[in-house]
Amino acid sequence: SQTIHQWPATLVQPVGSPLSLECTVEGTSNPNLYWYRQAAGRGLQLLFYSVGIGQISSEVPQNLSASRPQDRQFILSSKKLLLSDSGFYLCAWSDGQRYEQYFGPGTRLTVT
Amino acid sequence: AQSVTQLDSHVSVSEGTPVLLRCNYSSSYSPSLFWYVQHPNKGLQLLLKYTSAATLVKGINGFEAEFKKSETSFHLTKPSAHMSDAAEYFCVVSRINDYKLSFGAGTTVTVRA
């Protein structure tokens, strides 16, 4: 069966510091991968989308970037965090032939 | 463009009574529709999905949803609420051609003892 991991689970970082969040998927190959942000009291915002290694689509311009160095690894990064980057970050995967997405446990990021 | 509207931002029910969460969709083609549940500080879990097969879809934990094309609705129901059903629920529609999803704003369910 497929499993998706995210780490860290929680993170507190000062403004201006760098960020690296990691997501890995097990039990499947060539998945579509997604990064979402969920701000307090708000819905899910799709940040990045990847259909393969090195292929990243950005949904909204922002202070963040994403990379996919391996087939089942997806990384969310920032060079300098802003207060507005605080939120709950969710990674998800889907089979390239199906629509439903499966979500990881999330990372709670607080920028102070 | 494909979109969903969740008609209730908050629903409160007593334990043991039925739950109804309402969702209307907008799509220019036959969409795939989903319901997800999110417990506090957790990821989203897929409850059920409609992908143009049977219009009455059964999901996990006793939930089911009915796809009504004439009403463009996909309401989620459960006959008897349990305390563990307290969570946020998202109605979701597939976007055409790119396998991305459009999420509703969510409905928060509170279950009273």
Side-chain angles (χ1 to χ4, degrees):
Chain A
S1 64
Q2 299 84 16
T3 309
I4 180 168
H5 303 279
Q6 284 186 246
W7 64 89
T10 61
L11 191 59
V12 180
Q13 293 283 91
V15 169
S17 64
L19 174 72
S20 180
L21 303 181
E22 189 164 344
C23 170
T24 59
V25 181
E26 296 177 354
T28 187
S29 59
N30 197 31
N32 292 343
L33 295 171
Y34 311 81
W35 277 113
Y36 290 87
R37 177 169 57 204
Q38 190 176 31
R42 301 178 66 178
L44 275 77
Q45 179 185 35
L46 179 63
L47 302 175
F48 299 96
Y49 165 55
S50 172
V51 297
I53 296 174
Q55 300 180 62
I56 309 294
S57 298
S58 175
E59 286 290 298
V60 289
Q62 59 210 326
N63 187 42
L64 302 169
S65 62
S67 62
R68 185 171 177 174
Q70 300 181 42
D71 181 45
R72 290 169 290 174
Q73 184 185 31
F74 205 23
I75 296 172
L76 183 69
S77 303
S78 174
K79 293 181 179 179
K80 290 185 178 181
L81 283 168
L82 306 173
L83 285 174
S84 58
D85 291 325
S86 292
F88 193 50
Y89 287 82
L90 291 158
C91 180
W93 75 273
S94 68
D95 184 311
Q97 302 301 314
R98 302 162 70 91
Y99 288 104
E100 63 266 28
Q101 295 177 17
Y102 298 93
F103 286 79
T107 295
R108 172 73 60 191
L109 172 65
T110 304
V111 182
T112 61
Chain B
Q2 295 70 46
S3 65
V4 291
T5 301
Q6 293 184 242
L7 301 175
D8 307 289
S9 60
H10 186 245
V11 168
S12 181
V13 298
S14 297
E15 190 175 21
T17 65
V19 181
L20 169 64
L21 305 184
R22 299 181 295 163
C23 173
N24 287 348
Y25 71 91
S26 172
S27 178
S28 56
Y29 68 108
S30 294
S32 292
L33 291 158
F34 312 90
W35 277 98
Y36 284 85
V37 61
Q38 184 181 31
H39 288 90
N41 294 309
K42 301 292 186 183
L44 277 73
Q45 181 183 20
L46 180 65
L47 278 178
L48 50 81
K49 62 182 179 182
Y50 166 77
T51 55
S52 75
T55 57
L56 183 62
V57 181
K58 293 188 182 299
I60 62 172
N61 300 335
F63 285 94
E64 64 180 35
E66 187 171 9
F67 175 75
K68 292 187 176 180
K69 187 175 182 178
S70 61
E71 299 176 10
T72 62
S73 69
F74 190 57
H75 300 337
L76 181 71
T77 60
K78 182 174 180 176
S80 177
H82 189 271
M83 296 299 289
S84 60
D85 295 327
E88 185 150 24
Y89 292 78
F90 293 95
C91 183
V92 182
V93 65
S94 58
R95 284 164 46 168
I96 192 169
N97 292 334
D98 62 10
Y99 291 95
K100 286 179 272 190
L101 302 177
S102 291
F103 287 77
T107 298
T108 301
V109 172
T110 302
V111 182
R112 305 184 302 271

